[in-house]
Amino acid sequence: MNPQPQPRLTPQDYLAWERRQETRHEFFDGEIFAMTGASREHNLVCLNIAASLHTQLRGKPCEVYNNDMRVKVSETGMYTYPDIVAACAEPRFEDAEVDTLLNPVVIIEVLSDSTEQYDRGAKFRHYRTLPSLQDYLLVAQTECRVEHYAREAASRWLLTEYRSRDDTIDLPAVGCRLLLREMYERVPL
């Protein structure tokens, strides 16, 4: 016997359901995908980056959010939870709940074995359609390595890779600098 196909959810159905959940779920093309837990290293890297950005953004017109801020990629209909996201000037949200950001300027994903291929491939294809996005960082958690994709003219993305704890990443869209030694503080590599 073949199982009955599951009906596809609308974005409105997903949001109504997701807002009642205790765990996070991503959404694309009518399907819901559960988010898994993170390792100690993943959590340390995320916290280190978010703390650095939060400190640098004090008094500036930008905000940084951790992994609980949902982002909607309006052009493709994907809803996702980046590890870290920043918005500037006037953050725009999908509705009065103010829990789904529409205009991120920086998105940072900390890689894990289970998400690395997706973060590099399909997810980045979605993110690239966000007109507001200027910087996308992929941060390894098991080695000192950060890949920084910066938007250039004509929808080109420039990749710069950082591998030394002495390296500094400039994020001009938010007026911040990230030091790899601080990003990997207390992370056993």
Side-chain angles (χ1 to χ4, degrees):
M1 176 186 284
N2 289 336
Q4 293 292 325
Q6 296 296 316
R8 297 222 182 267
L9 293 175
T10 66
Q12 296 77 19
D13 292 339
Y14 158 73
L15 284 173
W17 177 83
E18 175 71 359
R19 287 173 173 151
R20 295 187 313 266
Q21 303 307 304
E22 291 187 23
T23 58
R24 297 175 294 124
H25 303 80
E26 293 188 345
F27 174 83
F28 178 67
D29 197 24
E31 294 185 64
I32 293 173
F33 304 92
M35 303 292 295
T36 60
S39 69
R40 172 180 177 256
E41 292 82 4
H42 186 282
N43 280 299
L44 286 170
V45 170
C46 286
L47 182 59
N48 290 341
I49 295 169
S52 177
L53 290 174
H54 177 73
T55 299
Q56 293 179 66
L57 291 175
R58 281 198 172 113
K60 295 182 180 179
C62 298
E63 299 174 348
V64 64
Y65 309 104
N66 66 4
N67 59 3
D68 286 330
M69 177 56 74
R70 185 174 36 251
V71 169
K72 179 182 181 184
V73 181
S74 298
E75 292 76 5
T76 67
M78 181 178 78
Y79 290 82
T80 185
Y81 288 90
D83 289 316
I84 301 162
V85 62
C88 289
E90 188 65 36
R92 290 190 347 264
F93 296 93
E94 182 163 42
D95 56 29
E97 296 291 325
V98 190
D99 62 358
T100 306
L101 182 67
L102 300 175
N103 62 335
V105 295
V106 175
I107 293 178
I108 301 172
E109 297 285 5
V110 177
L111 302 173
S112 66
D113 289 342
S114 62
T115 65
E116 183 170 357
Q117 185 175 350
Y118 179 56
D119 289 341
R120 290 181 182 290
K123 195 178 229 184
F124 188 30
R125 281 193 298 279
H126 287 277
Y127 287 160
R128 286 193 306 258
T129 69
L130 288 162
S132 61
L133 186 65
Q134 298 301 307
D135 296 285
Y136 182 54
L137 275 67
L138 295 172
V139 182
Q141 63 174 303
T142 58
E143 63 177 311
C144 185
R145 181 175 47 87
V146 178
E147 296 170 28
H148 176 198
Y149 292 87
R151 185 186 294 269
E152 294 190 326
S155 296
R156 291 188 182 130
W157 289 86
L158 174 66
L159 167 62
T160 305
E161 186 174 45
Y162 301 90
R163 291 185 163 269
S164 168
R165 285 184 179 265
D166 295 326
D167 287 339
T168 300
I169 302 168
D170 287 316
L171 300 173
V174 291
C176 295
R177 301 177 90 189
L178 293 173
L179 308 173
L180 267 68
R181 89 173 66 79
E182 292 176 0
M183 294 170 69
Y184 286 102
E185 184 178 350
R186 299 182 60 97
V187 177
L189 298 176

